[in-house]
Amino acid sequence: DIQMTQSPSSLSPSVGDRVTITCRASQDISNSLAWYQQIPGKAPKLLLFAASRLESGVPSRFSGSGSGTDYTLTISSLQPEDFATYYCQQYYSTPYTFGQGTKLEIK
Amino acid sequence: EVQLVESGGDLVQPGGSLRLSCAASGFTFSSHEMNWVRQAPGKGLEWVSYIGATGTTIYYADSVRGRFTISRDNAQNSLYLQMNRLRAEDTAVYYCARDSSYGYFDSGTYYNVNAFDMWGQGTMVTVAS
């Protein structure tokens, strides 16, 4: 199974900050990586797929990069509605696996 | 409206059974692969099972293989998860999630995208005596 290691597990940024979350796979996943946002009590929402492709309707302040085993989600200027938990997921092979999540908490 | 609506979650005793349903609407259900994903209280996301568009290809997480069965009825636009021999550690919110079933070419190579682009609201399964 491919293990996904996300860091950090939590962050306390301020509105307007640039935020970076990293995700490392235990093997090369060839950009088969998605990022999701989950607000408490709600279902996850797809933000990006193929490591860097923005899902339709997602604000452009979200971006993704990386290759091989190392990937990054960046929020260029944090907005109040962005305080949530973020998960990476590899879909390179089953079992599909998620990172443990990164919780953004209001400072 | 394009949506997925789960149902069937309940309180069940260890060793018991439950069948979850997911009703799809607003899109061509039969064209999409589908998944079940669960989230234990206060925990992260765990993929449970996948089914191909025709129902021929099926995968399970090791934690549920042999106890859970995924199926679909394309005529009824519905996805199911039959859960048997339930354990306390199966307690979670269960989401059905649509596979994007999208592909793209990059530098001459075709890539299949199996990201989950639509989720239901979830249904709670509690396994306790």
Side-chain angles (χ1 to χ4, degrees):
Chain A
D1 298 2
I2 299 174
Q3 309 303 316
M4 304 300 291
T5 303
Q6 224 176 299
S7 62
S9 56
S10 65
L11 273 176
S12 298
S14 299
V15 172
D17 283 354
R18 181 182 181 88
V19 171
T20 299
I21 299 168
T22 64
C23 186
R24 173 166 288 176
S26 59
Q27 67 182 70
D28 186 344
I29 57 172
S30 298
N31 289 0
S32 298
L33 184 97
W35 289 98
Y36 300 88
Q37 176 194 63
Q38 187 177 33
I39 293 168
K42 300 290 188 181
K45 172 188 173 183
L46 177 64
L47 299 176
L48 297 109
F49 59 92
S52 61
R53 298 188 175 220
L54 205 63
E55 173 71 348
S56 176
V58 173
S60 59
R61 63 181 180 273
F62 292 92
S63 64
S65 63
S67 63
T69 61
D70 295 323
Y71 298 89
T72 298
L73 170 69
T74 299
I75 309 172
S76 60
S77 178
L78 200 67
Q79 298 303 299
E81 60 268 30
D82 299 337
F83 287 92
T85 300
Y86 294 83
Y87 295 93
C88 63
Q89 178 226 350
Q90 68 80 18
Y91 52 84
Y92 181 77
S93 65
T94 58
Y96 299 141
T97 45
F98 292 87
Q100 75 275 24
T102 296
K103 185 175 184 179
L104 300 190
E105 299 175 292
I106 298 175
K107 191 171 187 178
Chain B
E1 185 182 0
V2 180
Q3 63 178 354
L4 297 167
V5 179
E6 301 95 336
S7 60
D10 205 348
L11 169 63
V12 60
Q13 291 188 339
S17 298
L18 211 54
R19 188 194 198 206
L20 305 184
S21 299
C22 171
S25 59
F27 65 96
T28 306
F29 179 71
S30 60
S31 296
H32 285 269
E33 301 147 69
M34 296 294 296
N35 297 268
W36 287 99
V37 177
R38 69 184 180 183
Q39 186 170 36
K43 302 297 184 182
L45 300 169
E46 179 188 15
W47 171 80
V48 172
S49 185
Y50 159 102
I51 186 167
T54 63
T56 302
T57 303
I58 286 173
Y59 302 113
Y60 296 102
D62 286 347
S63 57
V64 306
R65 185 177 294 111
R67 300 186 299 121
F68 289 12
T69 302
I70 191 171
S71 63
R72 65 190 295 161
D73 184 340
N74 286 344
Q76 297 295 321
N77 293 329
S78 293
L79 175 72
Y80 305 101
L81 186 68
Q82 176 67 43
M83 304 186 295
N84 298 330
R85 305 202 315 270
L86 282 160
R87 306 167 180 167
E89 54 265 36
D90 295 320
T91 294
V93 174
Y94 284 73
Y95 296 100
C96 62
R98 187 181 78 172
D99 198 298
S100 64
S101 298
Y102 169 77
Y104 65 96
F105 281 96
D106 188 359
S107 302
T109 301
Y110 181 80
Y111 293 90
N112 200 34
V113 177
N114 292 102
F116 304 158
D117 67 348
M118 182 188 300
W119 297 64
Q121 85 288 353
T123 188
M124 183 70 204
V125 173
T126 303
V127 184
S129 53

